[in-house]
Amino acid sequence: MTLVALAFLGLFLALPLIVVFSEALAKGVGAYIAAIGNPLAWAAVRLTLLVAAISVPLNCTFGMAAAWAIAKFEFRGKSTLITLIDLPFAVSPVIAGLVFILLFGTNGWFGPFLIAHGMRIVFAVPGIVLATMFVTFPFVARELIPIMQAQGKDDEETALSLGATGWQTFWHVTLPNVRWGLLYGVLLCNARAMGEFGAVSVVSGHIRGLTNTMPLHVEILYNEYNIAAAFAVASLLALLALLTLAGKSFMEWREPELRRTPAAPSVRLHRERS
Amino acid sequence: MSISLRGVSKRFGQFAAVTDVDLDVPTGALLALLGPSGCGKTTLLRIIAGLDAPDRGQVLLDGRDASLWPIAKRKVGFVFQHYALFRHMTVFQNVAFGLEVKKRRERPAAAAIAKKVGALLELVQLAGAADRFPSQLSGGQRQRVALARALAVDPELLLLDEPFGALDAQVRHELRRWLRRLHDELHVTSIFVTHDQQEAIEVADHIVVLRGGRVEQVGAPAEVYDAPASDFVHRFLGQVNEVEVTRRDGRAYLGPLDITEALAARPSRSADAVALIRPHEIEVGRAPGGWPATVLAIRPIGPIVRLDLAADGLPAHAPLEAEMSRDRFAAAALRIGERVTLVLRQWRVY
């Protein structure tokens, strides 16, 4: 059984990684550096970093707030909120992108108003940020809710009874209690934000140097039969994946509790609805 | 701090957790809220603390209406059943927390904080554990850290939710005595929740027995034990034998005993009467004139001996349980199967 599992892992995980790096370096290190140093490639890297730098902190804040509200308080519409948080996992990213086109595109609901006021959302950076945020919406909240629920409210109530303010309680008690879970969620959120293709592809318009993120740039290069360059940029994304995995393992080692939360969205949806 | 509750009620959806509770706790008391699970004792404690708001009624602290005060204003120390120690802080940091979060103007200097925390750790016998983390402590030690942390802010009222619930029997017993001594030293008004009658009787100087969210009886431990206000309290505080009262020719009997007068004087007016007798209230001997019975089983338990007795006229499946000291048992030299006579030193009908 172990052998089968290892063979499977090798075929589907290790082999593609090896292919990515070997293809990227197929025309030599010089070509690899040139492909990465290309201004258009750099523009894609910068845009990807910018999008992640905006969407990850926002979703981190939102995820923290939502998890806090859901885990520590009872209120009407709680289950609806949980369902809404799950929505991006359930909807295909392409559909999500199309929804943004329908809302903010030239012929969309708010399109004419936005154009009249000189605001571009679709086929511009704001659209890419919106799409990325939608897709990465659940990661932090989903990671924190079970942890916070398991911890209960006793620590917070103790802090309040000792005279701490709400902010002190959050900062000195709640946050340290979930720090590894939060970091874990941020890590997954970031990996997805940088790697997202479908939703971003629909809203970006593929304008080179302007609205091309790294995954989109890889696709364009590949479609132009510029295989080595495509794999060179792809190798950067693969590196990100490896770093994410390393970080994830480190945190799971630090906080064994995290190992119980499966990373696969579909599994999670099923589990947490019950 | 003295506490008064006036008509306090609290519902959770359809469930009435606490109904119309009136209660007065004098300053310096050590009071136990005693009752089976689901009787509303923890809810009542949380209402006094300000962690839950009552739907109706008032909470008076030192005579002032504190019903709407937040917990911080009530000057209470609250200790949770599972201690709720901050796991990322050392024992020292845990105890110092309430002092560290004070406003700059009120906050003691670092040296003063260290001194106070040191003194508190001394008080709870954990002076050597200041730099340890909660995960490195035993259950009893964690409980004492939680207590020291609560005491650090000089509360005028100490509230403890099932303080010994998660500990094993030996540690429980030690901590109970320790808490009793601590209270005698500090005189902080304290209320603790428990479902263990033994614990309530041993530690508290006042006991409030709760049933279904209502107060069933309030009194000193001896009062509640010796003069239970209802069969519920009688049953809940210690073991009881239950004997149905039989009626013949218009008179009522408990075994051979004519109890018609006692039955007429009982508070409840229900048709079927039951007598409750504690095991140690049954004297087993051989003198004629008692209630004849047969010894079914003999169980020595440490310093006492328990006997199962089939009393004449009672159903065989419900033997009476009697209790006597080891010495008395040795002197009487009772054997299984022997015919004996029982004298009921005390009993109550409900």
Side-chain angles (χ1 to χ4, degrees):
Chain A
M1 275 321 284
T2 322
L3 215 65
V4 175
L6 278 178
F8 185 86
L9 276 177
L11 189 65
F12 285 93
L13 292 174
L15 203 62
L17 263 180
I18 295 165
V19 168
V20 166
F21 284 101
S22 66
E23 284 291 327
L25 295 164
K27 290 187 179 167
V29 179
Y32 179 78
I33 292 171
I36 290 177
N38 178 302
L40 292 181
W42 260 121
V45 171
R46 274 203 310 274
L47 180 60
T48 298
L49 290 178
L50 174 72
V51 169
I54 298 172
S55 54
V56 172
L58 283 175
N59 270 345
C60 176
T61 311
F62 160 78
M64 223 24 238
W68 164 274
I70 287 169
K72 312 274 179 185
F73 300 95
E74 291 303 321
F75 54 91
R76 250 173 221 279
K78 189 160 153 174
S79 55
T80 315
L81 182 59
I82 296 175
T83 311
L84 277 178
I85 291 173
D86 284 343
L87 191 68
F89 278 154
V91 173
S92 159
V94 177
I95 313 278
L98 280 174
V99 168
F100 283 113
I101 300 266
L102 271 177
L103 285 177
F104 304 119
T106 320
N107 300 315
W109 288 9
F110 305 111
F113 172 84
L114 290 169
I115 289 167
H117 291 80
M119 280 182 276
R120 283 198 69 89
I121 292 199
V122 163
F123 306 139
V125 176
I128 297 173
V129 172
L130 273 178
T132 306
M133 278 185 62
F134 178 82
V135 172
T136 58
F137 200 59
F139 283 93
V140 174
R142 266 295 167 211
E143 209 55 62
L144 291 182
I145 290 169
I147 296 178
M148 284 188 170
Q149 272 174 339
Q151 287 175 351
K153 288 194 285 193
D154 289 3
D155 283 17
E156 279 80 7
E157 288 178 340
T158 301
L160 291 176
S161 80
L162 291 169
T165 61
W167 178 248
Q168 282 172 324
T169 301
F170 175 78
W171 196 249
H172 295 299
V173 175
T174 308
L175 201 58
N177 273 349
V178 299
R179 59 189 162 181
W180 289 109
L182 179 64
L183 220 67
Y184 192 88
V186 166
L187 190 83
L188 294 182
C189 181
N190 181 59
R192 184 64 191 267
M194 291 190 173
E196 175 56 24
F197 179 83
V200 171
S201 174
V202 176
V203 294
S204 111
H206 304 270
I207 306 164
R208 283 195 208 199
L210 282 179
T211 65
N212 252 358
T213 60
M214 281 164 74
L216 302 186
H217 194 64
V218 171
E219 195 214 12
I220 288 177
L221 289 173
Y222 184 78
N223 286 346
E224 289 168 350
Y225 301 103
N226 199 345
I227 307 292
F231 275 106
V233 179
S235 72
L236 292 180
L237 283 171
L239 212 61
L240 168 74
L242 288 177
L243 283 176
T244 305
L245 273 180
K248 188 168 166 290
S249 311
F250 174 73
M251 283 175 217
E252 282 169 355
W253 170 70
R254 276 302 304 257
E255 195 78 358
E257 245 173 72
L258 290 172
R259 238 171 274 157
R260 280 188 272 119
T261 23
S266 57
V267 176
R268 225 184 283 198
L269 276 173
H270 187 72
R271 199 171 59 98
E272 256 138 32
R273 288 270 170 70
S274 60
Chain B
M1 183 189 282
S2 72
I3 305 143
S4 300
L5 303 182
R6 295 278 172 270
V8 166
S9 299
K10 173 84 180 171
R11 300 183 73 87
F12 293 109
Q14 288 299 305
F15 177 68
V18 169
T19 312
D20 274 332
V21 169
D22 292 307
L23 187 64
D24 289 289
V25 186
T27 306
L30 176 49
L31 180 136
L33 293 174
L34 175 67
S37 58
C39 73
K41 53 194 192 294
T42 295
T43 306
L44 203 57
L45 194 75
R46 291 177 60 89
I47 288 173
I48 295 170
L51 290 170
D52 280 330
D55 298 336
R56 278 188 292 114
Q58 284 182 314
V59 179
L60 306 175
L61 300 180
D62 278 338
R64 283 179 298 166
D65 185 358
S67 307
L68 299 175
W69 291 4
I71 182 165
K73 198 180 168 188
R74 298 189 186 201
K75 299 203 156 195
V76 301
F78 198 99
V79 177
F80 283 87
Q81 184 178 3
H82 298 290
Y83 327 127
L85 295 182
F86 306 135
R87 67 204 83 185
H88 59 282
M89 296 183 197
T90 62
V91 167
F92 181 95
Q93 289 169 325
N94 265 284
V95 178
F97 184 85
L99 303 169
E100 298 280 3
V101 296
K102 279 183 192 290
K103 289 193 204 83
R104 194 175 292 275
R105 280 182 284 115
E106 300 162 18
R107 194 191 312 152
I113 291 180
K115 195 168 163 228
K116 180 154 194 184
V117 172
L120 281 164
L121 288 180
E122 200 80 48
L123 182 72
V124 298
Q125 300 158 2
L126 279 171
D131 294 327
R132 281 198 244 163
F133 283 91
S135 57
Q136 299 167 304
L137 302 177
S138 71
Q141 291 173 321
R142 287 180 205 184
Q143 182 61 280
R144 300 210 297 270
V145 174
L147 205 55
R149 180 177 63 179
L151 291 172
V153 291
D154 298 320
E156 290 179 28
L157 173 61
L158 196 56
L159 303 172
L160 307 120
D161 187 7
E162 298 265 3
F164 315 117
L167 301 170
D168 54 60
Q170 193 71 34
V171 181
R172 249 175 121 97
H173 181 71
E174 277 166 31
L175 266 185
R176 277 179 199 167
R177 297 185 54 194
W178 177 78
L179 180 70
R180 181 70 243 184
R181 286 201 307 274
L182 188 76
H183 180 263
D184 293 341
E185 252 173 68
L186 300 175
H187 297 294
V188 182
T189 313
S190 307
I191 301 179
F192 71 98
V193 157
T194 181
H195 60 262
D196 182 339
Q197 43 91 15
Q198 189 83 41
E199 189 164 293
I201 290 172
E202 213 177 302
V203 179
D205 47 35
H206 294 69
I207 294 181
V208 176
V209 183
L210 290 166
R211 178 196 193 184
R214 292 173 188 274
V215 173
E216 191 85 357
Q217 188 173 3
V218 185
E223 241 172 271
V224 178
Y225 187 84
D226 295 334
S230 65
D231 62 323
F232 173 82
V233 177
H234 199 145
R235 271 183 245 261
F236 196 73
L237 276 99
Q239 240 106 31
V240 286
N241 289 294
E242 218 168 289
V243 181
E244 231 167 282
V245 173
T246 47
R247 290 166 204 267
R248 254 175 290 129
D249 316 325
R251 301 201 67 80
Y253 294 91
L254 169 56
L257 240 61
D258 186 337
I259 58 162
T260 313
E261 280 73 38
L263 196 66
R266 76 194 161 119
S268 103
R269 292 269 156 264
S270 65
D272 43 328
V274 65
L276 299 183
I277 314 153
R278 296 200 189 282
H280 67 84
E281 293 165 347
I282 301 178
E283 209 164 303
V284 187
R286 297 193 184 85
W291 187 353
T294 311
V295 178
L296 291 182
I298 298 171
R299 289 189 305 275
I301 302 165
I304 60 160
V305 177
R306 290 213 179 108
L307 305 165
D308 279 355
L309 302 152
D312 291 4
L314 289 186
H317 59 84
L320 293 178
E321 192 178 44
E323 205 175 275
M324 58 169 69
S325 74
R326 200 70 172 255
D327 298 343
R328 281 188 68 116
F329 175 77
L334 298 168
R335 277 185 310 279
I336 292 176
E338 196 179 339
R339 291 289 289 171
V340 291
T341 50
L342 311 179
V343 176
L344 306 182
R345 272 194 307 240
Q346 214 182 348
W347 42 267
R348 285 173 168 269
V349 276
Y350 296 96

